[in-house]
Amino acid sequence: MTKRPASSQKDGKVAANGHQNRAQSDPGGKPQGDRKVGLGKKVTLLRGISIIIGSIIGAGIFISPKGILKHSGSIGMSLIVWIACGVLSLFGALSYAELGTCIKKSGGHYTYILEAFGPQMAFVRLWADLIAIRPAAMAVISLAFGQYILEPLFMPCDIPPVAVKLATAMSITSVMYLNSMSVTWTARIQIFLTFSKLLAISLIIVPGMYQLFKGETTNFENAFELSNVKLSGMPLAFYSGMYAYAGWFYLNFVTEEVDNPERTVPLAICISMGIVTSCYVLTNIAYYTVMSAEELLASEAVAVTFAEKLMGNFSIAVPVFVALSCYGSMNGCLFALSRMFYVASREGQLPEVLSMVHVRRHTPLAAVLILYPMTILQLFVGDIYSLLNFMSFLRWLFIGVVVLGLIYLRYTKPDLPRPFKVPLFIPVVFCFTCFFMVFLSLYSDPINTGIGFAISLTGIPAYYIFIYFNRRPKWLQRALDSFNRTLQILLLVVPVEQ
């Protein structure tokens, strides 16, 4: 791992002094001469819950939960898979809760792999995230936002693809701007969007439960008919289910900003997973009160089909709620991911400017903006969905590695303070599940999986070129210092005060 160049540190101090007068007051006029420039502990329990729920619940539960039904073979088995995936996700979330309370650093996956297995493996994870996984994932969820926010305006016609991409680009820009301007307002809007998601889900659950209590149980007869159940399809059903629950780990990306993390992190995780699992299961039960298995499999947007059957003209509101749900996922994910890049820069594995904070806004401005160019580029020129196919299995590979690191640290660092400690069988079961899904990807789609591996393995030569060999030519070091100083001046960011 490289050390910070002395010249770069000096430049940071010069920039800090240059902005001292501008940092004397915040936008509200409050004096800040006695306040440190840094990230505050502004993530309360409610905000932590909103980050987790807001990141997990995206467009999937509203649009197409049919992947689980298709591979599980029956309505009853699909509900069991939803519950089982919720429990397995809780196991993973509890494992991360232990890691978040004994390693009190932000950064999530990156930080835990760094602590357990060293800088090279952590950089490989960071490299794959930075060049491919995160920009593609952000572009996909924002494309869903653009599609559904415009749908009420163009009904019943098709939406022009250019209009979708323009709306998508505007949504990405607005999320970046929001996260750049204020941590407090980012968290407040995330709370509002999370309540909007829960309201949207309640608009499905409540009428569905009313239908159930009225006796609309025809579709539940022979719910556990086993004639269509194939054991070979069950792993794929679990894969779809675990993907739907993904996002429970994002609070660990902002651990340093959590108020009282020993209490808040485990409590927020347990409350959030209970809410999400209940919502997912009840939503699927509600769908089945008005749709048969065949109708659900034939629907492209399950929530819209449900609303059309029960709510008539009010169904036009469903695309708006789906769009808000997507926006909440974008906001929560960006808030968390920017902290991973912030920590990686602090560890010397990304340019130093990414670990600096705006002098007045107290946001990691450069770390927030780093994904913007790649996301916009992939939005307009990249084959995003193919890239996500390449990378989807890497998510579970590295999460499995993180939880394996928890088990490894139990034996290598038994004296590490652990305010929250889970029984060992919980990380063992979850770790086995992750590696089983990775093995399934290798078996079912070896070509795309191989391409994903190849893309991620480019991080190994990148590590040795950019990180390990620190004898750079003087002209290159001067260029890097000049680039760093220029960005500091343009973005008004300074090193965090210790």
Side-chain angles (χ1 to χ4, degrees):
M1 191 183 305
T2 57
K3 294 182 179 179
R4 298 268 185 232
S7 60
S8 181
Q9 293 175 354
K10 182 179 178 182
D11 293 340
K13 292 178 181 178
V14 170
N17 291 333
H19 296 309
Q20 187 174 5
N21 293 332
R22 276 179 281 190
Q24 293 301 313
S25 62
D26 64 9
K30 295 179 182 179
Q32 292 189 357
D34 58 345
R35 290 176 59 185
K36 292 183 178 181
V37 177
L39 301 177
K41 289 185 175 292
K42 298 182 180 180
V43 180
T44 60
L45 177 62
L46 179 59
R47 290 174 178 177
I49 292 171
S50 71
I51 288 172
I52 298 173
I53 295 178
S55 300
I56 293 176
I57 302 177
I61 190 64
F62 301 106
I63 300 171
S64 184
K66 60 187 181 183
I68 292 178
L69 176 60
K70 177 181 177 181
H71 295 297
S72 61
S74 71
I75 290 176
M77 289 301 295
S78 72
L79 295 176
I80 289 176
V81 170
W82 278 107
I83 296 170
C85 288
V87 173
L88 283 171
S89 298
L90 176 61
F91 280 11
L94 290 174
S95 300
Y96 268 60
E98 177 177 324
L99 287 167
T101 54
C102 69
I103 302 173
K104 298 174 186 177
K105 296 180 182 178
S106 297
H109 315 313
Y110 169 81
T111 296
Y112 304 144
I113 293 176
L114 179 68
E115 292 289 329
F117 301 115
Q120 182 173 335
M121 187 174 289
F123 182 83
V124 170
R125 166 73 198 197
L126 177 71
W127 179 262
D129 269 339
L130 187 60
I131 68 169
I133 299 176
R134 299 305 177 182
M138 184 71 70
V140 167
I141 192 68
S142 57
L143 274 171
F145 170 85
Q147 179 75 32
Y148 281 89
I149 199 68
L150 294 177
E151 187 165 313
L153 302 178
F154 284 86
M155 283 184 177
C157 302
D158 292 334
I159 306 172
V162 174
V164 174
K165 291 199 172 185
L166 287 175
T168 299
M170 291 174 63
S171 70
I172 294 171
T173 304
S174 66
V175 168
M176 295 282 180
Y177 178 81
L178 174 63
N179 278 267
S180 300
M181 290 298 103
S182 171
V183 173
T184 301
W185 275 105
T186 299
R188 287 174 179 172
I189 289 177
Q190 186 67 11
I191 291 172
F192 166 75
L193 292 171
T194 298
F195 278 111
S196 298
K197 295 183 185 204
L198 296 177
L199 174 61
I201 287 177
S202 68
L203 290 176
I204 296 172
I205 292 175
V206 173
M209 293 302 102
Y210 177 71
Q211 293 294 314
L212 189 65
F213 293 137
K214 278 174 57 179
E216 297 291 338
T217 59
T218 305
N219 295 325
F220 293 99
E221 296 175 2
N222 300 318
F224 290 93
E225 176 62 45
L226 300 180
S227 60
N228 294 325
V229 176
K230 295 181 180 179
L231 291 178
S232 60
M234 293 303 292
L236 294 174
F238 272 90
Y239 195 94
S240 298
M242 294 297 287
Y243 181 82
Y245 281 98
W248 40 261
F249 39 75
Y250 279 122
L251 186 60
N252 293 72
F253 282 65
V254 296
T255 305
E256 293 172 26
E257 296 171 70
V258 175
D259 183 37
N260 190 11
E262 293 88 350
R263 173 183 176 273
T264 302
V265 171
L267 197 56
I269 284 173
C270 291
I271 292 173
S272 300
M273 293 311 300
I275 292 173
V276 171
T277 303
S278 300
C279 287
Y280 276 8
V281 174
L282 291 175
T283 300
N284 278 275
I285 292 174
Y287 288 151
Y288 293 130
T289 61
V290 297
M291 286 184 282
S292 66
E294 292 75 16
E295 289 175 317
L296 190 143
L297 289 172
S299 174
E300 290 299 324
V302 179
V304 174
T305 304
F306 175 90
E308 287 173 348
K309 286 178 174 289
L310 281 187
M311 304 175 189
N313 292 332
F314 185 73
S315 63
I316 197 172
V318 173
V320 177
F321 280 115
V322 175
L324 288 175
S325 181
C326 294
Y327 196 87
S329 293
M330 294 161 56
N331 187 56
C333 293
L334 180 62
F335 180 77
L337 291 171
S338 62
R339 273 54 180 180
M340 180 177 69
F341 300 132
Y342 171 88
V343 171
S345 171
R346 194 172 64 190
E347 295 291 338
Q349 293 197 344
L350 285 176
E352 185 182 4
V353 70
L354 297 179
S355 61
M356 298 183 186
V357 175
H358 193 277
V359 293
R360 294 191 301 274
R361 305 291 181 181
H362 293 190
T363 59
L365 186 59
V368 169
L369 297 177
I370 187 173
L371 284 179
Y372 187 72
M374 283 293 293
T375 304
I376 294 295
L377 181 66
Q378 291 191 21
L379 172 66
F380 284 98
V381 303
D383 187 358
I384 300 167
Y385 291 97
S386 295
L387 188 60
L388 275 185
N389 290 336
F390 299 154
M391 294 296 175
S392 60
F393 81 99
L394 281 178
R395 176 201 297 259
W396 298 111
L397 173 63
F398 282 112
I399 289 175
V401 169
V402 169
V403 178
L404 183 63
L406 181 152
I407 301 170
Y408 178 71
L409 289 172
R410 287 277 188 96
Y411 291 98
T412 58
K413 296 183 179 180
D415 298 328
L416 191 68
R418 292 176 171 85
F420 179 83
K421 189 174 181 179
V422 296
L424 189 59
F425 82 90
I426 287 179
V428 168
V429 170
F430 183 77
C431 193
F432 173 80
T433 303
C434 288
F435 290 133
F436 179 75
M437 287 192 291
V438 170
F439 173 78
L440 178 68
S441 296
L442 289 168
Y443 176 77
S444 62
D445 193 2
I447 296 177
N448 283 340
T449 302
I451 293 173
F453 260 128
I455 293 174
S456 65
L457 290 177
T458 59
I460 295 177
Y463 172 78
Y464 284 98
I465 294 171
F466 297 114
I467 307 298
Y468 189 77
F469 298 119
N470 56 7
R471 292 184 179 180
R472 300 188 183 101
K474 290 183 178 180
W475 64 268
L476 178 59
Q477 188 60 58
R478 284 196 298 268
L480 291 173
D481 291 343
S482 177
F483 175 75
N484 183 72
R485 184 169 57 251
T486 301
L487 282 182
Q488 281 186 256
I489 294 170
L490 290 175
L491 299 178
L492 297 179
V493 292
V494 294
V496 174
E497 297 179 24
Q498 302 297 327

